[in-house]
Amino acid sequence: DTSLTEVNSFSPSVPISPSSMINQYKFEDGPELRDLFITVDDPESHITAIETFITYRVVTKTTRGEFDSSEYEVRRRYQDFLWLKSKLEEAHPTLIIPPLPEKFIMKGMVERFSDEFIETRRKALHKFLNRIADHPTLTFNEDFKIFLTAQAWELSSHKKQGPGLLSRMGQTVRAVASSVRGAVKNRPEMFTEMNNYMETFCQKINLLDKIAHRIYKEERDYCNEMKEYGPIHTLWSASEEAIAESLKGIAGCIDRCCKATEKRMAGLSEHLLPLLHEYVLYSEILMGVLKRRDQIQGELDSKVDALANKKTEKDLFSEEIGKLEDKVERANNALKADWDRWKQNMQWDMRSTFTNVAENNLRYYEE
């Protein structure tokens, strides 16, 4: 992406090393400016007659005046995180809501409720809440505050106050109706460019995700072969006195290579794979946000067309059009600001993660 070099050009006097490249990035949300710190930890299994589920401890520390206390500790299950995400999407349809890990995982990757799965999910939930906390608008959402501070029974009571089934069905029907109307006629050029960018990004990030998983699988297979191959040389050395020392040396060498490969795999599974998958989910979210913006625009366009075709009720239509124009402008402004912020964060995440992979690979080959 040529815009990377345009926006983040580095001084020729500075040596371009991976670390110096990362240090060039500066963000306004530095740790010294933050007033809300969230930790997700201590997963706990719960078994009832109906279901088995995991809850996580959510600890919040804050200096904000709108909070009654400076520290909160609550337990939340995955369903509660889903509720929060849906409330944020409902309140801010044209903002980019961070993704949650999927409820169901791909067959064959890791077992549900295994330690590996629970830890992977804990990290993703921790990142989800902290991305919201760092967002200039979402961080002040009332449902987010309730999620962080309310006890379990208070949260359940608050959840029941949401829109009824018929209201939700009505929203779904309207959304589907809007999405099948066809292309938006008066979409500003900026949002057409965003759509094109996201279509390309979606293809590339999905491809990167598949390649990374394939590399990880090949590394795992290679490591498993080495685990079998090393002991064979040790056993062989017992029956070949003349070359016993050489065979033991090869066995030791294979063992060191195996440990280095395991470290490399750990780096991939802890850093690269989760980040790529997060941005696969982000690409789906952004396509949805752009579609919702188009739906608001489409609603305005249809009213303008209706006004042009009707002689009567002009005053009523004019008032509705005025309201829709304001709604479109608010949606556009919200998405523009969020787009720039998301793109900057994405570039930082990608650059730092791929730099980390490169440094791990250097260490691996040195070992």
Side-chain angles (χ1 to χ4, degrees):
D1 183 352
T2 52
S3 66
L4 275 174
T5 49
E6 288 164 12
V7 177
N8 303 303
S9 56
F10 302 110
S11 166
S13 61
V14 178
I16 304 297
S17 70
S19 304
S20 67
M21 285 164 77
I22 290 173
N23 291 335
Q24 295 289 331
Y25 282 82
K26 300 280 183 252
F27 290 97
E28 64 270 19
D29 298 334
E32 67 281 356
L33 300 177
R34 289 181 64 187
D35 54 8
L36 186 63
F37 297 86
I38 304 166
T39 308
V40 178
D41 61 12
D42 190 27
E44 201 175 274
S45 294
H46 300 264
I47 300 169
T48 68
I50 303 168
E51 61 179 341
T52 301
F53 60 93
I54 309 289
T55 62
Y56 300 85
R57 181 174 65 174
V58 178
V59 177
T60 305
K61 295 182 180 181
T62 183
T63 55
R64 289 186 187 172
E66 63 264 29
F67 286 83
D68 297 329
S69 174
S70 61
E71 190 168 336
Y72 295 88
E73 183 179 311
V74 295
R75 294 204 74 86
R76 296 287 179 254
R77 57 184 294 186
Y78 180 78
Q79 305 260 10
D80 300 326
F81 286 86
L82 271 182
W83 169 82
L84 173 62
K85 185 172 183 287
S86 69
K87 294 301 283 183
L88 291 173
E89 285 171 348
E90 188 184 303
H92 309 282
T94 54
L95 287 182
I96 302 164
I97 312 299
L100 270 176
E102 299 97 328
K103 184 165 187 177
F104 301 106
I105 54 172
M106 285 188 292
K107 197 174 177 183
M109 287 297 288
V110 283
E111 279 186 41
R112 196 173 174 226
F113 301 132
S114 70
D115 290 345
E116 185 188 348
F117 170 73
I118 291 168
E119 177 58 14
T120 301
R121 174 165 280 186
R122 183 201 66 76
K123 285 179 181 174
L125 296 176
H126 176 86
K127 185 180 266 193
F128 170 73
L129 291 183
N130 278 279
R131 286 207 188 273
I132 295 169
D134 289 341
H135 193 283
T137 304
L138 299 177
T139 189
F140 298 108
N141 179 276
E142 188 60 27
D143 289 308
F144 180 48
K145 180 185 167 189
I146 288 164
F147 176 91
L148 297 177
T149 60
Q151 291 307 309
W153 65 268
E154 293 175 299
L155 185 65
S156 297
S157 172
H158 184 73
K159 280 181 176 180
K160 288 171 186 169
Q161 296 168 16
L165 177 64
L166 290 174
S167 168
R168 291 200 301 274
M169 281 175 64
Q171 289 167 6
T172 306
V173 169
R174 282 198 298 277
V176 171
S178 310
S179 64
V180 296
R181 279 178 191 157
V184 179
K185 290 186 296 183
N186 300 316
R187 181 199 282 156
E189 182 64 26
M190 168 185 270
F191 298 107
T192 301
E193 286 172 10
M194 280 187 197
N195 263 294
N196 295 339
Y197 182 98
M198 283 316 301
E199 282 173 11
T200 306
F201 180 83
C202 195
Q203 290 169 3
K204 289 186 183 296
I205 199 72
N206 274 284
L207 182 62
L208 279 169
D209 189 47
K210 284 177 187 168
I211 291 169
H213 274 93
R214 193 179 72 214
I215 290 170
Y216 182 79
K217 183 181 178 298
E218 287 172 359
E219 290 285 312
R220 187 180 60 203
D221 293 345
Y222 174 55
C223 192
N224 289 339
E225 282 182 14
M226 280 197 291
K227 281 178 180 174
E228 294 177 10
Y229 194 46
I232 288 170
H233 285 75
T234 307
L235 290 169
W236 187 8
S237 68
S239 59
E240 294 278 1
E241 286 184 22
I243 55 170
E245 288 306 310
S246 298
L247 290 170
K248 284 177 185 174
I250 291 171
C253 177
I254 291 170
D255 184 54
R256 286 194 298 277
C257 287
C258 190
K259 284 174 181 168
T261 303
E262 283 178 333
K263 269 200 284 185
R264 188 190 197 188
M265 284 166 59
L268 289 173
S269 65
E270 287 172 22
H271 303 291
L272 183 65
L273 295 181
L275 179 97
L276 291 176
H277 191 63
E278 183 186 14
Y279 278 95
V280 166
L281 298 177
Y282 255 129
S283 68
E284 294 166 9
I285 286 166
L286 268 146
M287 293 302 276
V289 168
L290 287 163
K291 190 178 279 187
R292 287 196 289 274
R293 194 222 71 87
D294 282 355
Q295 285 167 4
I296 297 168
Q297 178 88 53
E299 205 178 338
L300 172 62
D301 292 347
S302 66
K303 288 287 180 189
V304 170
D305 289 345
L307 178 61
N309 296 332
K310 279 198 173 189
K311 307 268 188 206
T312 57
E313 301 175 10
K314 279 206 169 185
D315 291 342
L316 179 63
F317 268 97
S318 297
E319 189 180 338
E320 283 186 35
I321 286 168
K323 285 179 184 173
L324 281 169
E325 283 173 344
D326 289 344
K327 193 176 178 183
V328 169
E329 190 175 351
R330 284 198 304 274
N332 289 350
N333 291 338
L335 181 50
K336 275 183 212 168
D338 232 19
W339 171 261
D340 291 338
R341 188 177 181 280
W342 175 82
K343 210 168 168 188
Q344 187 186 34
N345 281 341
M346 180 269 289
Q347 289 169 357
W348 157 262
D349 284 343
M350 290 291 169
R351 187 180 290 268
S352 58
T353 300
F354 278 108
T355 302
N356 177 267
V357 169
E359 288 172 343
N360 282 344
N361 283 348
L362 286 169
R363 280 193 292 272
Y364 167 76
Y365 285 111
E366 282 168 358
E367 284 177 35

